[in-house]
C-alpha cells in the first residue's frame, strides 16, 4: 500500500513537471516570437521599448522578448497621468511603445509629442490572450510626431 502511494505521488509529480515544461515551452516560443517582431520593427540592441500594462501574461512575454532582442525594457506605471506619461516616454528615449488596450486612449493623447517614438503597439483584450499568448490588436506604424 505504501509503495502504491509512493508510485502515485511520483506519477503525479512527473505529470506536473511535464505540464510545467509544456507551459514553459509555450512561454519561450511566445517570447521568441515577440523578439522576432521587434527585430522586424528595426529594434536593435540597446534600443528602448516602453511597456504600459498591468501585471499580465503579455507583460511577461513583452518584458522577456525585449530582453531577448537585446533592447532595454522601460516599465511605466499604468496609473500615470497623460502628463507624467509624456515626460517619462520622452525622457526614456523609447522607440517602441507597447500599451494594453484599456490604456491606449491615454497613450494616444501623448505619442505625437514624443520625439523618437517610432512604433506604437496596442495589445488585445484579455479574452484574446487565452487563445493567443500575445495578440497585437492594432498596430500604428509610425507615430505622427507633428501632433500634440
Amino acid at each position: 500500500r505504501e509503495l502504491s502511494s509512493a508510485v502515485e505521488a511520483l506519477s503525479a509529480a512527473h505529470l506536473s513537471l511535464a505540464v510545467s515544461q509544456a507551459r514553459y515551452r509555450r512561454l519561450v516560443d511566445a517570447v521568441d516570437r515577440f523578439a522576432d517582431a521587434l527585430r522586424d520593427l528595426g529594434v536593435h540592441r540597446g534600443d528602448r521599448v516602453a511597456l504600459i500594462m498591468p501585471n499580465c501574461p503579455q507583460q511577461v512575454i513583452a518584458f522577456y522578448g525585449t530582453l531577448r532582442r537585446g533592447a532595454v525594457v522601460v516599465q511605466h506605471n499604468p496609473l500615470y497621468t497623460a502628463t507624467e506619461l509624456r515626460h517619462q516616454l520622452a525622457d526614456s528615449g523609447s522607440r517602441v511603445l507597447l500599451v494594453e488596450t484599456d490604456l491606449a486612449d491615454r497613450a494616444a493623447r501623448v505619442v505625437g509629442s514624443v520625439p523618437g517614438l517610432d512604433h506604437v503597439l496596442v495589445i488585445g483584450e484579455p479574452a484574446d490572450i487565452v487563445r493567443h499568448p500575445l495578440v497585437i490588436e492594432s498596430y500604428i506604424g509610425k507615430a505622427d510626431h507633428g501632433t500634440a
Side-chain angles (χ1 to χ4, degrees), residues 72-103:
V72 177
V73 176
V74 182
Q75 295 273 61
H76 293 281
N77 185 335
L79 301 178
Y80 280 159
T81 65
T83 302
E84 292 168 323
L85 185 56
R86 179 182 295 114
H87 173 74
Q88 292 288 319
L89 286 169
D91 191 50
S92 71
S94 295
R95 289 193 55 223
V96 176
L97 168 62
L98 187 71
V99 61
E100 198 266 333
T101 305
D102 292 339
L103 306 168

Side-chain angles (χ1 to χ4, degrees), residues 5 23 27-28 41 51-52 69 76 98 101 109 142:
S5 295
R23 288 180 183 156
L27 174 63
V28 169
L41 291 175
L51 306 180
I52 307 173
R69 182 70 192 128
H76 293 281
L98 187 71
T101 305
R109 290 191 301 243
K142 287 281 189 181

